[in-house]
Amino acid sequence: MKRYLRSREAILAAAIVVLTLLIALRFPAFIAPRNLANVFNDTSPLMILAIGQMIVILTKCIDLSVAATLALVGMVVSLLNIAMPGLPLIFTLILAVGLGACLGMVNGLLVWKLKIPPIVVTLGTMTIYRGITFLISQGKWVNAHQMSPAFKALPREVVLGFPLLSWFALAVIVLAAIVMTRTTLGRAFYAVGGNPHAAVYTGLDVGRTQFLAFTISGALAGLTGYLWVSRYAVAYVDIAGGFELDVVAACVIGGVSIAGGIGSVGAAVLGALFLGVVKNALPVINISPFWQLAISGAAIIIAVAVNSRAYRTKGRIILKQAEVSA
C-alpha cells in the first residue's frame, strides 16, 4: 500500500484532484458530475493516442506522426462517407483502424529494416501524411452537412450516461492494460526498451517488437481519426495540428521514460487527464486556450527533467573512491 501511495501514478492522481479543487474554488460548477464527465469525454482522444504513444516510447522510439495519421484517416473516412453514405459504420471503423495500422507499419518498417532513427522517420511521415491529406481533399473541408447523420452520431450516442466516445476510450484503456500486464507481447515491449541487448539474448527481435509498437500506435490513431471527425463533424488538412505535442506531453507527465522501458497505461491516462483538466480550466481562469501548446511544451521539459532524476541509477564512483583510498 505504501509503495502504491509513493508511486508516480498516485502522486499524479493526487495532483489532478488538488488542481480540480483549486479550480472549483473559483468556478464551483467545474466539479459538477456532468462537467467532470465532459472533461473525461473531451480528453478521450488524447488518452487513446497517449496509450499508443506510451507503447512506442517503451521500446525506445517515438511517434511524431500520430496527429498526421489521425488527420489522414479522418479525411479518408469522411470522403468515403460522402461517396457511400449508406455504408455500415462497422466497416468505417474497420477501415479507420486498418488504415491507421498500415500507416503505423510504414513507420515500423523504416525503423526496423532500414535502421533509420524513429524521430527522423516519424517527422518525415508526419509531413508525408499531411501532404497526402491535402492531395486527396484538394485542400477542401468536409463539413457537417456533407456527412451522414449516422456517421456523426456514433461518438455522441449516450450509453449508461456516457457518450460512446468515452466508452471507446475506456475499452482501449482496459484492453491495453491487459495486453501490457498479462501477455508476452506486453512484457516484450518493456524488455526491448529496458535492455535491448539482454532482450536479444532472450530471443526477442528488437526491430520486430518496435514494428508492432508502431502498428498499434497507428491503429489507435486511425480509430481516433474517425472518432474526431465524426464528433466535431468536420475534416480538413490541419486537423489536430500540433496535437502530437500533447500526446508526448501526456506520456512524460505520467512518468513514461523517454529512455524506454518504464511506464504504464495508467501513467499515460493520468497524464492525459492532467492536460485535459488544464485545457478545460484555462477559459475558467481567463487564460487564452492558445497557451495550451506553451503549457504542453513546458510540461514536457519539466517532466523529462524530473523523470531523468528519478530514474537515474545510483552507482559507485570508482575513481573518487580510489582517490580517497590513496
Side-chain angles (χ1 to χ4, degrees):
M1 184 65 179
K2 290 183 179 180
R3 182 180 179 183
Y4 173 75
L5 292 175
R6 293 176 182 175
S7 68
R8 181 61 173 267
E9 288 87 347
I11 294 172
L12 185 54
I16 293 172
V17 172
V18 171
L19 177 61
T20 303
L21 293 176
L22 289 175
I23 297 167
L25 292 176
R26 181 163 184 173
F27 186 65
F30 190 82
I31 58 174
R34 181 180 293 274
N35 187 69
L36 292 178
N38 289 335
V39 170
F40 184 90
N41 194 57
D42 290 341
T43 313
S44 292
L46 179 58
M47 287 189 284
I48 296 173
L49 291 176
I51 289 172
Q53 186 74 253
M54 180 270 301
I55 295 173
V56 172
I57 292 176
L58 280 180
T59 65
K60 286 186 178 291
C61 296
I62 193 167
D63 187 356
L64 299 179
S65 67
V66 287
T69 300
L70 182 160
L72 177 53
V73 173
M75 182 60 72
V76 169
V77 296
S78 297
L79 294 175
L80 179 65
N81 180 248
I82 294 176
M84 304 174 64
L87 184 69
L89 286 178
I90 184 64
F91 292 109
T92 303
L93 283 169
I94 292 172
L95 173 64
V97 174
L99 178 57
C102 290
L103 296 175
M105 287 179 184
V106 172
N107 291 330
L109 284 172
L110 291 173
V111 172
W112 179 17
K113 297 299 183 181
L114 299 185
K115 309 299 182 185
I116 305 175
I119 191 170
V120 176
V121 168
T122 55
L123 275 173
T125 54
M126 175 179 70
T127 307
I128 292 170
Y129 296 163
R130 289 285 182 186
I132 295 174
T133 306
F134 179 85
L135 289 175
I136 64 175
S137 67
Q138 298 180 345
K140 298 177 181 178
W141 288 38
V142 178
N143 295 306
H145 69 275
Q146 298 172 280
M147 299 177 180
S148 68
F151 182 87
K152 295 180 291 185
L154 182 64
R156 299 187 181 92
E157 290 288 339
V158 177
V159 177
L160 299 177
F162 287 93
L164 275 179
L165 176 59
S166 295
W167 286 113
F168 270 107
L170 287 170
V172 170
I173 292 170
V174 171
L175 182 60
I178 293 172
V179 169
M180 298 305 296
T181 59
R182 296 286 186 268
T183 68
T184 303
L185 179 61
R187 291 190 288 272
F189 290 140
Y190 282 103
V192 165
N195 193 329
H197 300 293
V200 171
Y201 285 113
T202 62
L204 290 175
D205 187 326
V206 174
R208 181 176 178 274
T209 305
Q210 291 173 336
F211 167 79
L212 293 174
F214 276 110
T215 302
I216 293 172
S217 178
L220 293 178
L223 172 63
T224 309
Y226 163 69
L227 295 174
W228 187 297
V229 298
S230 58
R231 185 197 182 200
Y232 295 108
V234 65
Y236 54 95
V237 174
D238 292 327
I239 196 169
F243 202 59
E244 59 276 344
L245 181 64
D246 287 350
V247 176
V248 174
C251 291
V252 296
I253 289 172
V256 180
S257 174
I258 292 294
I262 299 175
S264 67
V265 173
V269 170
L270 287 171
L273 279 174
F274 181 85
L275 287 179
V277 171
V278 170
K279 184 175 182 179
N280 280 271
L282 291 181
V284 175
I285 57 179
N286 295 323
I287 296 178
S288 170
F290 291 104
W291 278 96
Q292 174 67 20
L293 284 176
I295 292 172
S296 298
I300 290 177
I301 295 173
I302 295 171
V304 169
V306 171
N307 291 346
S308 65
R309 292 181 64 86
Y311 300 140
R312 186 177 299 163
T313 56
K314 296 180 180 180
R316 295 168 59 193
I317 306 176
I318 298 174
L319 291 178
K320 196 170 184 178
Q321 289 180 346
E323 290 177 2
V324 173
S325 301

